[in-house]
Amino acid sequence: QVQLQESGPGLVKPSQTLSLTCAVSGDSVTATYYYYSWIRQAPGRGLEWLGAISFGGSASDSPSLGSRSTISSDTSKKQITLQLTSATPEDTATYYCARGRANLLFDSWGKGTRVTVSS
């Protein structure tokens, strides 16, 4: 059994940093062959993959966000963190954490957390 729980501020001001945390629990969740992705869905749009990381440190980022996004992992806390700088209203979306293997075929999803970027 594995559980993924996203958390973070529901409202972010434009130009500020959007920071979200995915807490994972269950058996072998920190095994290095698991990769944890951040995925978002803006209103009226499809799913957008933001990047992935393992607790072993291997990471892959989507080129769509470039240097604005940073994904990190903390083995002791069993947490995956997403930081998105210079937030704009177009970053308003529901953000999901999902687990997969190296092929990024997801076997578990969090319920998602809604983030609104607005002044």
Side-chain angles (χ1 to χ4, degrees), residues 4-72:
L4 287 73
Q5 180 66 61
E6 304 91 343
S7 63
L11 179 64
V12 178
K13 301 295 184 181
S15 80
Q16 294 185 338
T17 297
L18 190 163
S19 182
L20 299 173
T21 297
C22 174
V24 300
S25 62
D27 294 337
S28 302
V29 292
T30 60
T32 57
Y33 49 78
Y34 287 125
Y35 289 80
Y36 295 86
S37 292
W38 282 103
I39 302 163
R40 71 180 181 183
Q41 185 169 31
R45 299 193 178 190
L47 297 171
E48 180 184 8
W49 181 77
L50 304 179
I53 194 170
S54 75
F55 283 101
S58 297
S60 180
D61 297 321
S62 171
S64 63
L65 297 179
S67 61
R68 289 209 299 132
S69 67
T70 300
I71 297 176
S72 59

Side-chain angles (χ1 to χ4, degrees), residues 6-22 38-43 50 68 82-97 111-119:
E6 304 91 343
S7 63
L11 179 64
V12 178
K13 301 295 184 181
S15 80
Q16 294 185 338
T17 297
L18 190 163
S19 182
L20 299 173
T21 297
C22 174
W38 282 103
I39 302 163
R40 71 180 181 183
Q41 185 169 31
L50 304 179
R68 289 209 299 132
L82 169 68
Q83 290 188 304
L84 186 63
T85 62
S86 302
T88 73
E90 291 193 359
D91 293 316
T92 296
T94 299
Y95 287 76
Y96 299 92
C97 182
K111 294 183 178 180
T113 184
R114 294 191 176 190
V115 179
T116 299
V117 181
S118 176
S119 61

Side-chain angles (χ1 to χ4, degrees), residues 100-116:
R101 295 207 173 194
N103 57 13
L104 299 182
L105 297 177
F106 308 121
D107 62 7
S108 299
W109 290 71
K111 294 183 178 180
T113 184
R114 294 191 176 190
V115 179
T116 299

